[in-house]
Amino acid sequence: MCGFAGAWERGQGPIGGPLADRIQAMIDPLHHRGPDDQGLWVDSTQGLGMGFRRLAILDLSPAGHQPMESQGGRFIITFNGEIYNCEEIRADLAALGHTFRGHSDTEVMLAAFREWGVEASVPRFWGMFAFACWDREARRLWLGRDRLGKKPLYYGWQGGSFLWGSELRALRRHPAFRGGVDPASLRLFLLRACLPSPRTIHPGLAQLQPGTLLSLDPDDAVPRLRRYWDPAEVMPRCASAPFTGDGREAEDALHALLQDAVIRRCRADVPVGAFLSGGVDSSLVAALMAAQGGGPVSTYTIGFQDEAFDESAQAARVARHLGTNHHAARLDPADLLELVPRLPELYDEPFADISQLPTYLLCRWARRDVVVALSGDGGDEAFAGYWRAFAGAPLARRLEGLPGVLRKPAAALLRATPPGTWDALTARTGLGGFTARHRLQGNRLAKAAAVLGADDLETLHDRLLTHGDPDAWMLEPAPGQPDPWAGSLDVAHPSQWMALKDARTYLPDDVLVKVDRASMAVSLEARAPLLDHRIFEFAWTLPPEYLVHQGQGKAILRRVLGRFLPPDLLQGPKRGFEVPLGPWLRGPLRPWAEELLAPSALGEGGFRSKPVRTLWATHLAGTRDLSDTLWPLLVYQQWRGVWT
């Protein structure tokens, strides 16, 4: 796992000073992504330069050094990620007469570009990747990103210079960078708690969307974009050729795919471990790793004092059954709270998924022993694991015929009900007593308000993932821009529709951003077997009842996991990687929040003081938990103080 950056300075004459110095300045802040090596390549006649920081995982020798030139020197590449079918492609190329100096996947990519061209080669690659490649012969720049968006890539014009890099902090170091905050992007961030691709917080810059290739020729004013893999197009094609076997055959086929995906992601010349929460996805990954033999798997989890947020006991039970070398750290709230001031350092673009805090600590904990850690990311999006997919969407579909005059007042009543009432309701309905655990159940009941108030699945998805009403807060309304998360899908079943929507939006823009920045901050490579595109494509061939059964998602995954774990370790509600943010904002984080939400600070940030202060006062009074709404605003205010 690595980081790279580059610039093509095409206009307005020389900027001044050596181009190599500017490229070096761009990769310097990416040291955390690649502490083992660095490299530069420049062509001053073209005004084009590329820089690279390396975290050595495969081929630790100098043969893996980047930027790397192809044999003959036509292509020069910087590449971040892993190509998991590298050996098969290498064999195909060797049969065609290609030879190799080392055994890095980067060298295989370059040979593929020579043989088939960039555009035809990239769809052959299975993996997680982002790359920049200069074609000397065609004088063409290529940027590319993996199918599901595991690895990041930013780009855009700044004056007469076209810039790109793994993180925005690299682009900011180029003298052509202009900065600023795009109001439309800020509005979307406050709605979503992340930046929906292709938007970024800065005007003129964009994220390359997952499954996309960009090309730029010397005469192009606008880059050409082609999406070579899009879930919205691939899923209907998969569904049109459904799996024809019975349930047992489907389990066998999925088991084989999962095993292959795990084996490929365990290949490394450095120590490999796994995150283990005790949930379905991470337990399945750990079980498949253990099944390979070769000694105990190292697994890692972190626990919390509050049992509502603590998964360490379940993880320990799973680890004992699988026989892993388990490492568990129990965190004090202070461990999480001390990270809050560091968020702009870890996330150089506004990002406000509160699970970013424990995710970083988990990565830091694992990095003491391993350089690669396998995770369970992707299972929820492929197999309908979120509540909105396995319960919310089917319920909304059943309620579509109910008149809005009945549904919408009920939704408003649910939204206005104080948290204490939810606690009492969960107790009376047999969900338990007045513990923090049942606050999570109350939160789930509160989602029912979104179901009741939604006219269709698009509206439901939007409302369940909306964090606030920035139009009421911003001093100057943002110009109207299309929402990148909007758009119809050609999927009939509500659970499959919702899972596909998450695969196109929430997965790359929230989940994968969170894990990439948290892991890279400590120079840890996080690999996710369930993000293998073959697994998604297989899931899309299955009938809905293989995903959702008896009110639970990931039904077929649970059955495969049942081959490794006893029934008592397969039970339990899904819990996210959450922290008690609401009480924290009323307690230890209150002084920090008060400073950021002071009327003068809000005015400097471009916000109306009165509506925001009203939200803050309501939260402090405890009549409603508005932490989900306030957190993106607080994160932005803190980010603005560092990066603008």
Side-chain angles (χ1 to χ4, degrees), residues 263-284:
I263 290 171
R264 291 175 185 272
R265 284 157 182 79
C266 287
R267 292 173 183 163
D269 296 328
V270 294
V272 179
F275 301 140
L276 179 60
S277 69
V280 171
D281 304 331
S282 66
S283 296
L284 184 53

mmCIF file with all atom_site columns, all heavy atoms in Angstrom, residues 263-284:
data_model
loop_
_atom_site.group_PDB
_atom_site.id
_atom_site.type_symbol
_atom_site.label_atom_id
_atom_site.label_alt_id
_atom_site.label_comp_id
_atom_site.label_asym_id
_atom_site.label_entity_id
_atom_site.label_seq_id
_atom_site.pdbx_PDB_ins_code
_atom_site.Cartn_x
_atom_site.Cartn_y
_atom_site.Cartn_z
_atom_site.occupancy
_atom_site.B_iso_or_equiv
_atom_site.pdbx_formal_charge
_atom_site.auth_seq_id
_atom_site.auth_comp_id
_atom_site.auth_asym_id
_atom_site.auth_atom_id
_atom_site.pdbx_PDB_model_num
ATOM 1   N N   . ILE A 1 263 ? -7.281  -16.481 0.370  1.00 0.00 ? 263 ILE A N   1
ATOM 2   C CA  . ILE A 1 263 ? -5.931  -16.974 0.059  1.00 0.00 ? 263 ILE A CA  1
ATOM 3   C C   . ILE A 1 263 ? -5.146  -15.927 -0.721 1.00 0.00 ? 263 ILE A C   1
ATOM 4   O O   . ILE A 1 263 ? -3.972  -15.658 -0.426 1.00 0.00 ? 263 ILE A O   1
ATOM 5   C CB  . ILE A 1 263 ? -6.022  -18.295 -0.731 1.00 0.00 ? 263 ILE A CB  1
ATOM 6   C CG1 . ILE A 1 263 ? -6.520  -19.419 0.178  1.00 0.00 ? 263 ILE A CG1 1
ATOM 7   C CG2 . ILE A 1 263 ? -4.671  -18.667 -1.342 1.00 0.00 ? 263 ILE A CG2 1
ATOM 8   C CD1 . ILE A 1 263 ? -6.838  -20.712 -0.553 1.00 0.00 ? 263 ILE A CD1 1
ATOM 9   N N   . ARG A 1 264 ? -5.782  -15.319 -1.699 1.00 0.00 ? 264 ARG A N   1
ATOM 10  C CA  . ARG A 1 264 ? -5.090  -14.306 -2.500 1.00 0.00 ? 264 ARG A CA  1
ATOM 11  C C   . ARG A 1 264 ? -4.671  -13.115 -1.646 1.00 0.00 ? 264 ARG A C   1
ATOM 12  O O   . ARG A 1 264 ? -3.610  -12.523 -1.875 1.00 0.00 ? 264 ARG A O   1
ATOM 13  C CB  . ARG A 1 264 ? -5.986  -13.842 -3.647 1.00 0.00 ? 264 ARG A CB  1
ATOM 14  C CG  . ARG A 1 264 ? -6.223  -14.896 -4.717 1.00 0.00 ? 264 ARG A CG  1
ATOM 15  C CD  . ARG A 1 264 ? -7.225  -14.422 -5.772 1.00 0.00 ? 264 ARG A CD  1
ATOM 16  N NE  . ARG A 1 264 ? -7.541  -15.467 -6.727 1.00 0.00 ? 264 ARG A NE  1
ATOM 17  C CZ  . ARG A 1 264 ? -6.857  -15.720 -7.846 1.00 0.00 ? 264 ARG A CZ  1
ATOM 18  N NH1 . ARG A 1 264 ? -5.813  -14.967 -8.140 1.00 0.00 ? 264 ARG A NH1 1
ATOM 19  N NH2 . ARG A 1 264 ? -7.215  -16.689 -8.656 1.00 0.00 ? 264 ARG A NH2 1
ATOM 20  N N   . ARG A 1 265 ? -5.488  -12.753 -0.663 1.00 0.00 ? 265 ARG A N   1
ATOM 21  C CA  . ARG A 1 265 ? -5.177  -11.576 0.151  1.00 0.00 ? 265 ARG A CA  1
ATOM 22  C C   . ARG A 1 265 ? -4.226  -11.883 1.298  1.00 0.00 ? 265 ARG A C   1
ATOM 23  O O   . ARG A 1 265 ? -3.812  -10.964 2.009  1.00 0.00 ? 265 ARG A O   1
ATOM 24  C CB  . ARG A 1 265 ? -6.482  -10.945 0.641  1.00 0.00 ? 265 ARG A CB  1
ATOM 25  C CG  . ARG A 1 265 ? -7.160  -10.168 -0.477 1.00 0.00 ? 265 ARG A CG  1
ATOM 26  C CD  . ARG A 1 265 ? -8.652  -9.990  -0.268 1.00 0.00 ? 265 ARG A CD  1
ATOM 27  N NE  . ARG A 1 265 ? -9.246  -9.278  -1.396 1.00 0.00 ? 265 ARG A NE  1
ATOM 28  C CZ  . ARG A 1 265 ? -9.555  -9.850  -2.575 1.00 0.00 ? 265 ARG A CZ  1
ATOM 29  N NH1 . ARG A 1 265 ? -9.329  -11.143 -2.763 1.00 0.00 ? 265 ARG A NH1 1
ATOM 30  N NH2 . ARG A 1 265 ? -10.073 -9.134  -3.560 1.00 0.00 ? 265 ARG A NH2 1
ATOM 31  N N   . CYS A 1 266 ? -3.901  -13.136 1.490  1.00 0.00 ? 266 CYS A N   1
ATOM 32  C CA  . CYS A 1 266 ? -2.900  -13.497 2.502  1.00 0.00 ? 266 CYS A CA  1
ATOM 33  C C   . CYS A 1 266 ? -1.484  -13.512 1.936  1.00 0.00 ? 266 CYS A C   1
ATOM 34  O O   . CYS A 1 266 ? -0.526  -13.686 2.690  1.00 0.00 ? 266 CYS A O   1
ATOM 35  C CB  . CYS A 1 266 ? -3.224  -14.860 3.109  1.00 0.00 ? 266 CYS A CB  1
ATOM 36  S SG  . CYS A 1 266 ? -4.635  -14.837 4.234  1.00 0.00 ? 266 CYS A SG  1
ATOM 37  N N   . ARG A 1 267 ? -1.345  -13.351 0.626  1.00 0.00 ? 267 ARG A N   1
ATOM 38  C CA  . ARG A 1 267 ? -0.020  -13.364 0.021  1.00 0.00 ? 267 ARG A CA  1
ATOM 39  C C   . ARG A 1 267 ? 0.705   -12.062 0.338  1.00 0.00 ? 267 ARG A C   1
ATOM 40  O O   . ARG A 1 267 ? 0.246   -10.983 0.000  1.00 0.00 ? 267 ARG A O   1
ATOM 41  C CB  . ARG A 1 267 ? -0.131  -13.537 -1.496 1.00 0.00 ? 267 ARG A CB  1
ATOM 42  C CG  . ARG A 1 267 ? -0.655  -14.905 -1.918 1.00 0.00 ? 267 ARG A CG  1
ATOM 43  C CD  . ARG A 1 267 ? -0.915  -14.949 -3.417 1.00 0.00 ? 267 ARG A CD  1
ATOM 44  N NE  . ARG A 1 267 ? -1.493  -16.232 -3.815 1.00 0.00 ? 267 ARG A NE  1
ATOM 45  C CZ  . ARG A 1 267 ? -2.119  -16.436 -4.972 1.00 0.00 ? 267 ARG A CZ  1
ATOM 46  N NH1 . ARG A 1 267 ? -2.251  -15.444 -5.827 1.00 0.00 ? 267 ARG A NH1 1
ATOM 47  N NH2 . ARG A 1 267 ? -2.619  -17.619 -5.254 1.00 0.00 ? 267 ARG A NH2 1
ATOM 48  N N   . ALA A 1 268 ? 1.833   -12.181 0.985  1.00 0.00 ? 268 ALA A N   1
ATOM 49  C CA  . ALA A 1 268 ? 2.615   -11.002 1.353  1.00 0.00 ? 268 ALA A CA  1
ATOM 50  C C   . ALA A 1 268 ? 3.994   -11.456 1.806  1.00 0.00 ? 268 ALA A C   1
ATOM 51  O O   . ALA A 1 268 ? 4.171   -12.603 2.231  1.00 0.00 ? 268 ALA A O   1
ATOM 52  C CB  . ALA A 1 268 ? 1.924   -10.202 2.460  1.00 0.00 ? 268 ALA A CB  1
ATOM 53  N N   . ASP A 1 269 ? 4.953   -10.562 1.705  1.00 0.00 ? 269 ASP A N   1
ATOM 54  C CA  . ASP A 1 269 ? 6.295   -10.821 2.210  1.00 0.00 ? 269 ASP A CA  1
ATOM 55  C C   . ASP A 1 269 ? 6.505   -10.168 3.572  1.00 0.00 ? 269 ASP A C   1
ATOM 56  O O   . ASP A 1 269 ? 7.641   -9.947  3.995  1.00 0.00 ? 269 ASP A O   1
ATOM 57  C CB  . ASP A 1 269 ? 7.331   -10.300 1.202  1.00 0.00 ? 269 ASP A CB  1
ATOM 58  C CG  . ASP A 1 269 ? 7.255   -11.037 -0.125 1.00 0.00 ? 269 ASP A CG  1
ATOM 59  O OD1 . ASP A 1 269 ? 6.910   -12.232 -0.109 1.00 0.00 ? 269 ASP A OD1 1
ATOM 60  O OD2 . ASP A 1 269 ? 7.524   -10.422 -1.180 1.00 0.00 ? 269 ASP A OD2 1
ATOM 61  N N   . VAL A 1 270 ? 5.403   -9.854  4.249  1.00 0.00 ? 270 VAL A N   1
ATOM 62  C CA  . VAL A 1 270 ? 5.413   -9.230  5.573  1.00 0.00 ? 270 VAL A CA  1
ATOM 63  C C   . VAL A 1 270 ? 4.333   -9.908  6.414  1.00 0.00 ? 270 VAL A C   1
ATOM 64  O O   . VAL A 1 270 ? 3.469   -10.614 5.880  1.00 0.00 ? 270 VAL A O   1
ATOM 65  C CB  . VAL A 1 270 ? 5.143   -7.706  5.477  1.00 0.00 ? 270 VAL A CB  1
ATOM 66  C CG1 . VAL A 1 270 ? 6.275   -6.989  4.754  1.00 0.00 ? 270 VAL A CG1 1
ATOM 67  C CG2 . VAL A 1 270 ? 3.811   -7.442  4.771  1.00 0.00 ? 270 VAL A CG2 1
ATOM 68  N N   . PRO A 1 271 ? 4.322   -9.713  7.754  1.00 0.00 ? 271 PRO A N   1
ATOM 69  C CA  . PRO A 1 271 ? 3.310   -10.363 8.599  1.00 0.00 ? 271 PRO A CA  1
ATOM 70  C C   . PRO A 1 271 ? 1.885   -9.922  8.268  1.00 0.00 ? 271 PRO A C   1
ATOM 71  O O   . PRO A 1 271 ? 1.621   -8.753  8.002  1.00 0.00 ? 271 PRO A O   1
ATOM 72  C CB  . PRO A 1 271 ? 3.709   -9.927  10.017 1.00 0.00 ? 271 PRO A CB  1
ATOM 73  C CG  . PRO A 1 271 ? 5.153   -9.586  9.925  1.00 0.00 ? 271 PRO A CG  1
ATOM 74  C CD  . PRO A 1 271 ? 5.348   -9.019  8.549  1.00 0.00 ? 271 PRO A CD  1
ATOM 75  N N   . VAL A 1 272 ? 0.956   -10.908 8.314  1.00 0.00 ? 272 VAL A N   1
ATOM 76  C CA  . VAL A 1 272 ? -0.456  -10.683 7.983  1.00 0.00 ? 272 VAL A CA  1
ATOM 77  C C   . VAL A 1 272 ? -1.316  -11.114 9.169  1.00 0.00 ? 272 VAL A C   1
ATOM 78  O O   . VAL A 1 272 ? -1.071  -12.153 9.783  1.00 0.00 ? 272 VAL A O   1
ATOM 79  C CB  . VAL A 1 272 ? -0.871  -11.489 6.736  1.00 0.00 ? 272 VAL A CB  1
ATOM 80  C CG1 . VAL A 1 272 ? -2.352  -11.271 6.419  1.00 0.00 ? 272 VAL A CG1 1
ATOM 81  C CG2 . VAL A 1 272 ? -0.001  -11.110 5.540  1.00 0.00 ? 272 VAL A CG2 1
ATOM 82  N N   . GLY A 1 273 ? -2.322  -10.312 9.525  1.00 0.00 ? 273 GLY A N   1
ATOM 83  C CA  . GLY A 1 273 ? -3.290  -10.655 10.568 1.00 0.00 ? 273 GLY A CA  1
ATOM 84  C C   . GLY A 1 273 ? -4.689  -10.334 10.105 1.00 0.00 ? 273 GLY A C   1
ATOM 85  O O   . GLY A 1 273 ? -4.949  -10.162 8.907  1.00 0.00 ? 273 GLY A O   1
ATOM 86  N N   . ALA A 1 274 ? -5.619  -10.246 11.061 1.00 0.00 ? 274 ALA A N   1
ATOM 87  C CA  . ALA A 1 274 ? -7.012  -9.969  10.715 1.00 0.00 ? 274 ALA A CA  1
ATOM 88  C C   . ALA A 1 274 ? -7.689  -9.215  11.840 1.00 0.00 ? 274 ALA A C   1
ATOM 89  O O   . ALA A 1 274 ? -7.400  -9.439  13.019 1.00 0.00 ? 274 ALA A O   1
ATOM 90  C CB  . ALA A 1 274 ? -7.772  -11.270 10.443 1.00 0.00 ? 274 ALA A CB  1
ATOM 91  N N   . PHE A 1 275 ? -8.608  -8.313  11.463 1.00 0.00 ? 275 PHE A N   1
ATOM 92  C CA  . PHE A 1 275 ? -9.487  -7.684  12.436 1.00 0.00 ? 275 PHE A CA  1
ATOM 93  C C   . PHE A 1 275 ? -10.593 -8.684  12.779 1.00 0.00 ? 275 PHE A C   1
ATOM 94  O O   . PHE A 1 275 ? -11.117 -9.368  11.894 1.00 0.00 ? 275 PHE A O   1
ATOM 95  C CB  . PHE A 1 275 ? -10.127 -6.418  11.870 1.00 0.00 ? 275 PHE A CB  1
ATOM 96  C CG  . PHE A 1 275 ? -9.145  -5.361  11.439 1.00 0.00 ? 275 PHE A CG  1
ATOM 97  C CD1 . PHE A 1 275 ? -9.360  -4.625  10.285 1.00 0.00 ? 275 PHE A CD1 1
ATOM 98  C CD2 . PHE A 1 275 ? -8.014  -5.089  12.186 1.00 0.00 ? 275 PHE A CD2 1
ATOM 99  C CE1 . PHE A 1 275 ? -8.476  -3.643  9.876  1.00 0.00 ? 275 PHE A CE1 1
ATOM 100 C CE2 . PHE A 1 275 ? -7.120  -4.109  11.795 1.00 0.00 ? 275 PHE A CE2 1
ATOM 101 C CZ  . PHE A 1 275 ? -7.347  -3.384  10.642 1.00 0.00 ? 275 PHE A CZ  1
ATOM 102 N N   . LEU A 1 276 ? -10.969 -8.752  14.047 1.00 0.00 ? 276 LEU A N   1
ATOM 103 C CA  . LEU A 1 276 ? -12.020 -9.689  14.466 1.00 0.00 ? 276 LEU A CA  1
ATOM 104 C C   . LEU A 1 276 ? -12.929 -9.008  15.475 1.00 0.00 ? 276 LEU A C   1
ATOM 105 O O   . LEU A 1 276 ? -12.556 -8.784  16.621 1.00 0.00 ? 276 LEU A O   1
ATOM 106 C CB  . LEU A 1 276 ? -11.403 -10.949 15.076 1.00 0.00 ? 276 LEU A CB  1
ATOM 107 C CG  . LEU A 1 276 ? -12.400 -12.012 15.570 1.00 0.00 ? 276 LEU A CG  1
ATOM 108 C CD1 . LEU A 1 276 ? -13.283 -12.506 14.435 1.00 0.00 ? 276 LEU A CD1 1
ATOM 109 C CD2 . LEU A 1 276 ? -11.666 -13.172 16.228 1.00 0.00 ? 276 LEU A CD2 1
ATOM 110 N N   . SER A 1 277 ? -14.151 -8.676  15.027 1.00 0.00 ? 277 SER A N   1
ATOM 111 C CA  . SER A 1 277 ? -15.134 -8.075  15.929 1.00 0.00 ? 277 SER A CA  1
ATOM 112 C C   . SER A 1 277 ? -16.032 -9.130  16.555 1.00 0.00 ? 277 SER A C   1
ATOM 113 O O   . SER A 1 277 ? -16.695 -8.866  17.554 1.00 0.00 ? 277 SER A O   1
ATOM 114 C CB  . SER A 1 277 ? -15.997 -7.074  15.159 1.00 0.00 ? 277 SER A CB  1
ATOM 115 O OG  . SER A 1 277 ? -16.842 -7.751  14.242 1.00 0.00 ? 277 SER A OG  1
ATOM 116 N N   . GLY A 1 278 ? -16.093 -10.318 15.965 1.00 0.00 ? 278 GLY A N   1
ATOM 117 C CA  . GLY A 1 278 ? -17.032 -11.343 16.397 1.00 0.00 ? 278 GLY A CA  1
ATOM 118 C C   . GLY A 1 278 ? -18.303 -11.352 15.579 1.00 0.00 ? 278 GLY A C   1
ATOM 119 O O   . GLY A 1 278 ? -19.155 -12.223 15.762 1.00 0.00 ? 278 GLY A O   1
ATOM 120 N N   . GLY A 1 279 ? -18.451 -10.385 14.656 1.00 0.00 ? 279 GLY A N   1
ATOM 121 C CA  . GLY A 1 279 ? -19.597 -10.373 13.761 1.00 0.00 ? 279 GLY A CA  1
ATOM 122 C C   . GLY A 1 279 ? -19.424 -11.377 12.631 1.00 0.00 ? 279 GLY A C   1
ATOM 123 O O   . GLY A 1 279 ? -18.381 -12.026 12.494 1.00 0.00 ? 279 GLY A O   1
ATOM 124 N N   . VAL A 1 280 ? -20.445 -11.480 11.803 1.00 0.00 ? 280 VAL A N   1
ATOM 125 C CA  . VAL A 1 280 ? -20.448 -12.485 10.737 1.00 0.00 ? 280 VAL A CA  1
ATOM 126 C C   . VAL A 1 280 ? -19.271 -12.302 9.792  1.00 0.00 ? 280 VAL A C   1
ATOM 127 O O   . VAL A 1 280 ? -18.533 -13.252 9.493  1.00 0.00 ? 280 VAL A O   1
ATOM 128 C CB  . VAL A 1 280 ? -21.779 -12.436 9.950  1.00 0.00 ? 280 VAL A CB  1
ATOM 129 C CG1 . VAL A 1 280 ? -21.710 -13.316 8.702  1.00 0.00 ? 280 VAL A CG1 1
ATOM 130 C CG2 . VAL A 1 280 ? -22.934 -12.863 10.839 1.00 0.00 ? 280 VAL A CG2 1
ATOM 131 N N   . ASP A 1 281 ? -19.067 -11.083 9.305  1.00 0.00 ? 281 ASP A N   1
ATOM 132 C CA  . ASP A 1 281 ? -18.096 -10.866 8.234  1.00 0.00 ? 281 ASP A CA  1
ATOM 133 C C   . ASP A 1 281 ? -16.663 -11.107 8.697  1.00 0.00 ? 281 ASP A C   1
ATOM 134 O O   . ASP A 1 281 ? -15.905 -11.851 8.064  1.00 0.00 ? 281 ASP A O   1
ATOM 135 C CB  . ASP A 1 281 ? -18.240 -9.450  7.684  1.00 0.00 ? 281 ASP A CB  1
ATOM 136 C CG  . ASP A 1 281 ? -19.648 -9.161  7.201  1.00 0.00 ? 281 ASP A CG  1
ATOM 137 O OD1 . ASP A 1 281 ? -20.332 -10.106 6.773  1.00 0.00 ? 281 ASP A OD1 1
ATOM 138 O OD2 . ASP A 1 281 ? -20.069 -7.991  7.267  1.00 0.00 ? 281 ASP A OD2 1
ATOM 139 N N   . SER A 1 282 ? -16.271 -10.469 9.793  1.00 0.00 ? 282 SER A N   1
ATOM 140 C CA  . SER A 1 282 ? -14.890 -10.632 10.252 1.00 0.00 ? 282 SER A CA  1
ATOM 141 C C   . SER A 1 282 ? -14.643 -12.046 10.758 1.00 0.00 ? 282 SER A C   1
ATOM 142 O O   . SER A 1 282 ? -13.539 -12.589 10.592 1.00 0.00 ? 282 SER A O   1
ATOM 143 C CB  . SER A 1 282 ? -14.554 -9.602  11.333 1.00 0.00 ? 282 SER A CB  1
ATOM 144 O OG  . SER A 1 282 ? -15.313 -9.813  12.510 1.00 0.00 ? 282 SER A OG  1
ATOM 145 N N   . SER A 1 283 ? -15.645 -12.679 11.369 1.00 0.00 ? 283 SER A N   1
ATOM 146 C CA  . SER A 1 283 ? -15.475 -14.056 11.837 1.00 0.00 ? 283 SER A CA  1
ATOM 147 C C   . SER A 1 283 ? -15.271 -15.007 10.661 1.00 0.00 ? 283 SER A C   1
ATOM 148 O O   . SER A 1 283 ? -14.454 -15.942 10.736 1.00 0.00 ? 283 SER A O   1
ATOM 149 C CB  . SER A 1 283 ? -16.695 -14.492 12.652 1.00 0.00 ? 283 SER A CB  1
ATOM 150 O OG  . SER A 1 283 ? -16.843 -13.723 13.821 1.00 0.00 ? 283 SER A OG  1
ATOM 151 N N   . LEU A 1 284 ? -15.997 -14.770 9.578  1.00 0.00 ? 284 LEU A N   1
ATOM 152 C CA  . LEU A 1 284 ? -15.860 -15.625 8.406  1.00 0.00 ? 284 LEU A CA  1
ATOM 153 C C   . LEU A 1 284 ? -14.473 -15.468 7.791  1.00 0.00 ? 284 LEU A C   1
ATOM 154 O O   . LEU A 1 284 ? -13.839 -16.462 7.408  1.00 0.00 ? 284 LEU A O   1
ATOM 155 C CB  . LEU A 1 284 ? -16.947 -15.286 7.394  1.00 0.00 ? 284 LEU A CB  1
ATOM 156 C CG  . LEU A 1 284 ? -17.033 -16.148 6.137  1.00 0.00 ? 284 LEU A CG  1
ATOM 157 C CD1 . LEU A 1 284 ? -17.107 -17.630 6.486  1.00 0.00 ? 284 LEU A CD1 1
ATOM 158 C CD2 . LEU A 1 284 ? -18.239 -15.736 5.299  1.00 0.00 ? 284 LEU A CD2 1
#
